[in-house]
Amino acid sequence: VSFLKNAWYVAAWGREVPTEKLLPRILLGEPVVFFRDEKGAVAGIEDRCPHRFAPLHEGTLEGGQVRCRYHGLEFNGAGACVRNPHGNGAIPSAARVKSYRVVEKDLIVWVWMSDESAADESLIPDFSFLTSVPDTARNTGYLPTAANYQLLADNIMDLSHVDYLHPTTLGGGAMTRSRPEVTESGTQVRIKWTVKDDVVPPSFAHHMPDPNAKADQTTQVVWYPPGYMNLSTSVEVADGQDICTNNLHLMTPETEERTHYFFANTRNFVQEDGEFNRMLDTILINVFSEEDKPMVEAQQRNMGTSDLFSLRPVLLACDGGAVRARRTLETLIANEQAMRAQP
Ligand code: FES
Ligand SMILES: [Fe+2]
């Protein structure tokens, strides 16, 4: 199993970790339990008691300490055992669990999955646009998906699929007609689809002065390793006036065959209307859960554990971005493993 280890991963939305609740989540095959410490900061520790390996998330959380449900050992956010109710109460030195470096930023709980000493907060992508809009102009969601995270990334890196998989909401045919332009800077891969005077996707058409009018449109995806995508769309409604959305599609591997899919959407129009926001939320969740998720899960079932390229996939003009992102990640993982192999 090869994942990029020296990387920040999205563990949860901050709202998924309320005070006094334990959130279990398997990340890169490792069971982790997240909770808030007594100061309200999110902590993440191994979800496996070192006594008889009970899942700690089945225990209770009090004052920022987790008590194992089985025999009552208590652990803090640093993974140290702070109470042993047995014998003379002495704490055995082996009574500790792994703790992870966790940072809450831009509504997201980020976790560093390898040695804490290498964790550099400045490497966390800047998604502050999420908090620069009113709450009624933002949706955030979470969709556990039974497919490899790179299949979910491919889905966003090749947006021509919207014309076929989402024809009544997001696709109007224009993405297939446009020529995606792929560029790389550092470890980022950027794809831009430029559409001139073409059919507007159904979900945008309602917001046009004339819903049947054609318009210029720009769509851009920026991919960051190991699997984060910032997708922005812009449709010109009048001279120099655009309606825009800014979206995140964040893929964290649960295992090789399962993904924690986090998504977010913000917009620069109808920003103050809570009713509209809820409607949009419902549309997005429906599209992702009824259309994308079943498709990538079906791909996963067809592919099993085979590597994509080993199956010799047919390559199309729309594949450029996805292939570059996969190659970049492959190189990063190979470099990391070579470094580790050095004495
Ligand atoms: S398994 Fe946790 S205290 Fe025994
Ligand atoms: Fe989709």
Side-chain angles (χ1 to χ4, degrees), residues 177-247:
R177 285 187 287 274
S178 79
R179 291 274 153 266
E181 188 191 311
V182 181
T183 52
E184 282 175 87
S185 78
T187 56
Q188 295 173 14
V189 178
R190 192 177 293 256
I191 318 172
K192 199 171 176 184
W193 294 260
T194 311
V195 174
K196 290 278 167 228
D197 197 34
D198 206 326
V199 181
V200 175
S203 58
F204 280 94
H206 313 298
H207 306 290
M208 304 287 290
D210 169 7
N212 298 314
K214 294 185 168 181
D216 292 351
Q217 301 152 52
T218 313
T219 306
Q220 181 174 272
V221 173
V222 183
W223 176 92
Y224 306 76
Y228 303 122
M229 284 144 284
N230 185 351
L231 158 61
S232 50
T233 64
S234 155
V235 178
E236 189 175 83
V237 286
D239 245 353
Q241 199 195 325
D242 296 316
I243 55 175
C244 306
T245 67
N246 205 351
N247 310 265

Side-chain angles (χ1 to χ4, degrees), residues 20 69 107 135 214 284 327 329:
E20 301 303 328
R69 184 177 168 218
L107 310 176
D135 290 351
K214 294 185 168 181
L284 289 175
R327 294 292 187 213
L329 186 59

